[in-house]
Amino acid sequence: MKSSIAIAIFDKAGHLEVDHGMTGVAVQLHTTDATKFVEMAFFFHQMWSSPFLIVGALIALYYFVGWAGVLSLSCIIVFIPVQGVSTAKVTGMRREVADWADKRLAAMGELLFGIRIVKFMGWEQPLANRIANIRKNELRIYKHMYFWRSVMTVLISFQPAAVSFAVFAIAYAFDDPIEPKNVFPTMAMLNVLRMPMIMLPLSIAKMVDLRVSLDRIGKFLAAPEKESYLKKQALGDDAFQLRDVTCQYIEDGKTRDIVAGLNASIPKNKLTIVVGPTGSGKSTLISAMLGESRVSASSTVIQDGSVAFVPQEAWLMNATVRDNILMGKPYDEARYIKTVKACQLMADLKQLKASDMTEIGE
């Protein structure tokens, strides 16, 4: 079940708008909330069977010690309001903890995704302070939540002993005979009663966690999905046509344009190169062609045939710098030096002890 939920979560994440801002939520749902189903599987049968065991044990106690066994039920009832308050507190704090955890994961994702810019701009400390503040709030909620969980644990541990004391105290007050023939069977029934009285509150606590997780997963799966704006039709000599394409993003609830009024045709069987400075919209153009960008209603993107996207990723052979530059081609000194100079690598090679014969890669 956990695997099925994880697949559904990541499948949904792939159908959300590119600027959904729920990456941290998806990770939290997969790592934490999906696990609640596994935990609840161990407690599910305890939750429905415990009341039957408690009722059966009380009936047996009535048989052995009379009304003292039944009146001990009042001791159980006394604990119910306190357990109810504890459960309600834990439920509310569980939601708060999940919200702060989502914020923390989102902040960490932003930091790791833009780590190069962070290092260039010297933003390490401000971002570290931001994450530390989020974590501080998360830990504060955790402390309150585990306080109330400790209260529940103390009640769970104390309740069986209190019921045992109540049974014999009431029997003594009613002058019921307390003899070996009914004391030992009564102790046996109290031991039978101990486990369901411990497991029932724990099962309820796990059900509370599962309910919170179900609400979070349901809210995520019900989030609106992006609508595909790609149209597939024959275009003759063109593989792509973009007509009046305006790429957008949402900031502070307002829609803003990134690239407006873009018109382009990408021919088939030819190499098309898009050149421009940083921030000019090259990646946005690729995203629009792949259907991964938010575009205006008037935008039209037509695709002829299938598309393969190969992202640019650095890759190094376990060889020398020269071998990585030549990539199997014969060494031509004049062309090699011209290439190195064109790539502005001369200063970098001088910093290496073996220059371009330095071994790199893994």
Side-chain angles (χ1 to χ4, degrees), residues 200-276:
L200 183 59
L202 288 177
S203 303
I204 294 173
K206 294 297 180 182
M207 177 58 74
V208 168
D209 286 345
L210 179 61
R211 181 182 175 183
V212 174
S213 297
L214 276 174
D215 291 342
R216 284 166 48 78
I217 293 173
K219 184 179 178 181
F220 179 80
L221 295 179
E225 298 182 359
K226 63 183 178 184
E227 297 181 3
S228 177
Y229 53 82
L230 287 176
K231 298 180 180 179
K232 294 188 176 182
Q233 66 181 56
L235 294 174
D237 295 334
D238 292 336
F240 268 101
Q241 286 186 2
L242 293 87
R243 303 171 185 172
D244 193 28
V245 174
T246 299
C247 299
Q248 302 172 325
Y249 71 101
I250 296 178
E251 183 181 35
D252 298 330
K254 296 181 180 180
T255 302
R256 304 181 186 277
D257 296 342
I258 306 173
V259 178
L262 179 63
N263 292 278
S265 297
I266 310 298
K268 295 179 181 177
N269 304 318
K270 292 184 179 180
L271 175 63
T272 301
I273 301 176
V274 181
V275 181

Side-chain angles (χ1 to χ4, degrees), residues 46-60:
Q46 295 288 345
M47 188 171 62
W48 68 263
S49 62
S50 293
F52 291 102
L53 289 173
I54 293 173
V55 171
L58 290 175
I59 293 174

Side-chain angles (χ1 to χ4, degrees), residues 316-355:
L316 296 174
M317 294 188 298
N318 183 16
T320 63
V321 176
R322 178 182 293 184
D323 291 334
N324 275 276
I325 295 174
L326 295 175
M327 292 298 292
K329 293 185 177 181
Y331 177 68
D332 182 339
E333 185 176 0
R335 185 184 180 191
Y336 178 80
I337 294 176
K338 184 179 179 181
T339 302
V340 170
K341 288 182 177 179
C343 296
Q344 301 295 318
L345 287 175
M346 294 299 292
D348 298 301
L349 293 178
K350 289 179 181 179
Q351 295 179 11
L352 302 175
K353 290 183 178 181
S355 188

Side-chain angles (χ1 to χ4, degrees), residues 23-250:
T23 303
V25 176
V27 173
Q28 181 76 359
L29 292 176
H30 170 239
T31 57
T32 303
D33 294 275
T35 308
K36 301 303 178 183
F37 288 86
V38 179
E39 294 177 358
M40 188 59 206
F42 294 104
F43 288 91
F44 175 74
H45 293 293
Q46 295 288 345
M47 188 171 62
W48 68 263
S49 62
S50 293
F52 291 102
L53 289 173
I54 293 173
V55 171
L58 290 175
I59 293 174
L61 286 173
Y62 173 75
Y63 176 78
F64 292 126
V65 291
W67 284 103
V70 178
L71 292 177
S72 63
L73 179 63
S74 61
C75 185
I76 300 176
I77 296 174
V78 169
F79 285 93
I80 291 177
V82 183
Q83 290 179 342
V85 172
S86 302
T87 303
K89 292 283 187 181
V90 170
T91 302
M93 292 175 185
R94 172 75 178 82
R95 289 193 175 96
E96 290 187 56
V97 164
D99 291 340
W100 282 110
D102 293 341
K103 293 178 182 178
R104 174 173 53 82
L105 287 173
M108 286 297 300
E110 292 175 6
L111 172 63
L112 296 175
F113 184 77
I115 189 64
R116 181 180 298 177
I117 302 298
V118 171
K119 297 297 291 184
F120 286 164
M121 304 301 292
W123 291 342
E124 298 96 326
Q125 196 58 47
L127 288 174
N129 292 338
R130 177 191 173 195
I131 295 172
N133 288 332
I134 294 174
R135 182 59 175 164
K136 182 179 179 181
N137 287 316
E138 184 182 3
L139 289 175
R140 176 177 55 82
I141 303 299
Y142 261 123
K143 288 179 181 178
H144 287 88
M145 185 177 74
Y146 278 104
F147 167 78
W148 285 104
R149 284 200 169 180
S150 300
V151 171
M152 293 177 63
T153 303
V154 170
L155 292 175
I156 290 169
S157 303
F158 178 70
Q159 190 173 358
V163 172
S164 300
F165 175 79
V167 167
F168 290 109
I170 295 173
Y172 179 79
F174 284 0
D175 294 328
D176 289 332
I178 302 178
E179 300 174 353
K181 66 178 182 180
N182 56 11
V183 169
F184 289 108
T186 299
M187 294 297 297
M189 284 298 101
L190 289 174
N191 286 329
V192 171
L193 191 62
R194 183 185 300 272
M195 185 55 66
M197 288 178 63
I198 291 175
M199 297 305 296
L200 183 59
L202 288 177
S203 303
I204 294 173
K206 294 297 180 182
M207 177 58 74
V208 168
D209 286 345
L210 179 61
R211 181 182 175 183
V212 174
S213 297
L214 276 174
D215 291 342
R216 284 166 48 78
I217 293 173
K219 184 179 178 181
F220 179 80
L221 295 179
E225 298 182 359
K226 63 183 178 184
E227 297 181 3
S228 177
Y229 53 82
L230 287 176
K231 298 180 180 179
K232 294 188 176 182
Q233 66 181 56
L235 294 174
D237 295 334
D238 292 336
F240 268 101
Q241 286 186 2
L242 293 87
R243 303 171 185 172
D244 193 28
V245 174
T246 299
C247 299
Q248 302 172 325
Y249 71 101
I250 296 178

